[in-house]
Amino acid sequence: MVNLLVIADDFTGALDTGVQFRTKRSVIQLWTGETENMISAIKSGIQVLILDAETRHMTPEQAYQTVFQIVSLAIQLGVPCIYKKTDSGLRGNVGKELAAMLDAGGGPRLHFIPAFPKMNRVTVNGIHYIGQVPVADSVFGSDPFEPVRHSNIQNIIGEQSNIPTYLVAAGEDIPDKEGILIYDAVTDEDLLQIAQRLNDCHQLKLLAGCAGLAAVLPKLLNLTQYDCRRPAMNPRLITVCGSINPITIEQLDTAEKNGMHRIRLTPQQKLDPTWLESEDGECVLAQWLNKLQHSTAAIIDCGGPEEAEETRSYALTRDMNIEATRSAIAQSMGRLLERMLEGGLEATLMLTGGDTLLAFMREINQDSLIPVCELVPGVVLSRTEYNGKRIDLISKSGGFGSAELLTDLAKIIAHSGEEELVC
C-alpha cells in the first residue's frame, strides 16, 4: 500500500518533488482521469505515488474537481498521507486546490508550508518571498500566463476559497483551528521542525507545499531511501526550452555567450502545427539535426522578450488567444524533439517548463517517469523510454537556477561517468 500520495499541478513540479524521496519504490504518473490506473498503482506495493494532475492551467473549478476526485479516491483506498504539491512561486489554482484537499480529505485542517529555502523561497509573517522580493513583485508577478497578484498567502487563497486561514509563526505550537494553517519558514531546519511537530501530533495526513517540505518527509514516514549516485549520461546536452521566464531567458543568453549553439524558433515554427511536416520544415529539421549531431551542447528555444511581439502578431492572424498560444508552443516543442529522436539524435535532453515536458511525453506515448537524482537543487534527472531505448531527461521549472546553470550542467554531464554521490 502506498505510504504517500503527492498531487502536483505540472510535470516539472512532480519531478522536483518526487526526487526528494529517493526510494526505489516510487513512480511519477500523469493523471488521465482514469481511476483504474491510480487504484492499480496504489495497490502495487510502491511507497510513493506522484500524480501530475496538470491543474496549473485549468479553470479554478476544473482544478477543484480534479483534486477532489483524486483525494476522495485516495481516502477510500486508505492512503495515510496526501501531499498537495504547489508551485514554489504560488502560481496556479492554489486556493481551489487546497479547498478541494480539505473538503475531500474529511479532516479539520490542512497544513500548508510553501517555503523552499534551498531555492530562496521563504515565508515570513504570511508573506511569500522570492529571494528578498515579495512574490507579487518578483518575476512571478509578471508571468504572462498566470501572474501572482498577491504576496500575502491568505489573500492568494482567499481569491478562490472562503475556507478560514490562519498564520503559524516559526516555532509556534500548532493551533487547534479548523481550516488551512499557513506556516512561516526561512530555513530547512524550520521545515524539519514543523514536520516533526506535525508527526508528534499525528497530523501528517493532509499537507501542502513544494519540494522543500517534501525533502524532510521520508524519515518521518519511514520510507526506505537509497544513496543516489550520478549515473553516466550521454555527454551531448540538448536543451529544449518552452519557458519565457526571465530567469530562464538569462540562463539561455549566458549559455549562448559561452559558446552553446542556439536555435530560436520563428512564430510560424512555434504556432503552425503543419510546418514541421511541410517541405520547408523537413529541410530545416535535417539542417538542425546535422548541426546538433556535431555540437556538444545546444539550445532550442521559443525566444525571449524581443520575439514576443512578433509572436503575438502571428498568433492574432490565426485567431489564437494567450492560452492557445501557450499550448501550441509546448506542442510544437514536444513534436520537434520527438522528430529529432526519430531522426537519430542521441543526447541527454533537458526540458525547461512543465508544459514542454508534458507535450514531449505525450509525443513519445509515455505517461510515467522514474526520478533518478537531483543534479543541482531543483534540477532533476529522470529516465523513460522511446522506441526501446533509454532516455535521460533533465527537467526544471522556468523560475529556478543561476544564470550559469546550463554551462554548469554541461560540465556535470561531461563528467557524469565518475559516479559521484549526489545525495
Side-chain angles (χ1 to χ4, degrees), residues 331 334-335 338 358-366 386:
Q331 290 173 16
R335 189 180 305 114
E338 190 275 336
L358 175 64
F360 173 65
M361 293 293 290
R362 284 174 169 162
E363 286 294 329
I364 64 173
N365 296 314
Q366 285 285 352
Y386 172 74

Side-chain angles (χ1 to χ4, degrees), residues 271 310-321 325:
L271 299 178
E310 187 180 358
T311 299
R312 279 193 291 268
S313 297
Y314 186 85
L316 287 174
T317 67
R318 301 180 66 85
D319 295 323
M320 300 172 70
N321 61 22
T325 301

Side-chain angles (χ1 to χ4, degrees), residues 44-58:
S44 67
I46 62 174
Q47 290 185 317
V48 181
L49 173 62
I50 303 101
L51 288 180
D52 169 27
E54 282 300 309
T55 51
R56 174 76 63 83
H57 304 299
M58 289 182 180

Side-chain angles (χ1 to χ4, degrees), residues 34 40-41 70 81 95 204 226 246 278 289 292 360 371 412 421:
E34 297 177 2
S40 175
I70 294 171
C81 181
L204 286 178
Y226 62 91
S278 69
L289 268 173
L292 295 181
F360 173 65
I412 289 172
L421 187 69

Side-chain angles (χ1 to χ4, degrees), residues 259-325:
M260 280 196 195
H261 179 64
R262 187 172 182 180
I263 297 170
R264 289 183 176 89
L265 301 189
T266 67
Q268 181 186 15
Q269 292 164 354
K270 289 183 289 189
L271 299 178
D272 182 353
T274 67
W275 175 80
L276 194 56
E277 282 70 40
S278 69
E279 184 177 346
D280 178 58
E282 295 284 354
C283 180
V284 171
L285 177 62
Q287 293 172 0
W288 286 346
L289 268 173
N290 181 63
K291 185 69 177 180
L292 295 181
Q293 295 285 29
H294 292 87
S295 300
T296 57
I299 299 163
I300 304 170
D301 75 293
C302 61
E306 299 83 1
E307 293 84 8
E309 185 55 42
E310 187 180 358
T311 299
R312 279 193 291 268
S313 297
Y314 186 85
L316 287 174
T317 67
R318 301 180 66 85
D319 295 323
M320 300 172 70
N321 61 22
I322 192 168
E323 178 61 23
T325 301

Side-chain angles (χ1 to χ4, degrees), residues 201-241:
C201 297
H202 306 289
Q203 294 197 46
L204 286 178
K205 297 179 181 179
L206 293 178
L207 308 172
C210 61
L213 181 65
V216 305
L217 290 178
K219 289 183 180 180
L220 298 178
L221 296 176
N222 297 314
L223 301 177
T224 303
Q225 292 188 290
Y226 62 91
D227 289 336
C228 179
R229 294 183 180 275
R230 186 181 298 141
M233 294 171 273
N234 189 304
R236 178 181 295 114
L237 174 65
I238 304 298
T239 298
V240 179
C241 177

Side-chain angles (χ1 to χ4, degrees), residues 137-157:
D137 300 324
S138 74
V139 295
F140 295 98
S142 56
D143 188 292
F145 300 114
E146 50 213 354
V148 180
R149 296 183 174 86
H150 306 284
S151 298
N152 185 302
I153 297 173
Q154 288 180 296
N155 290 342
I156 291 174
I157 295 173

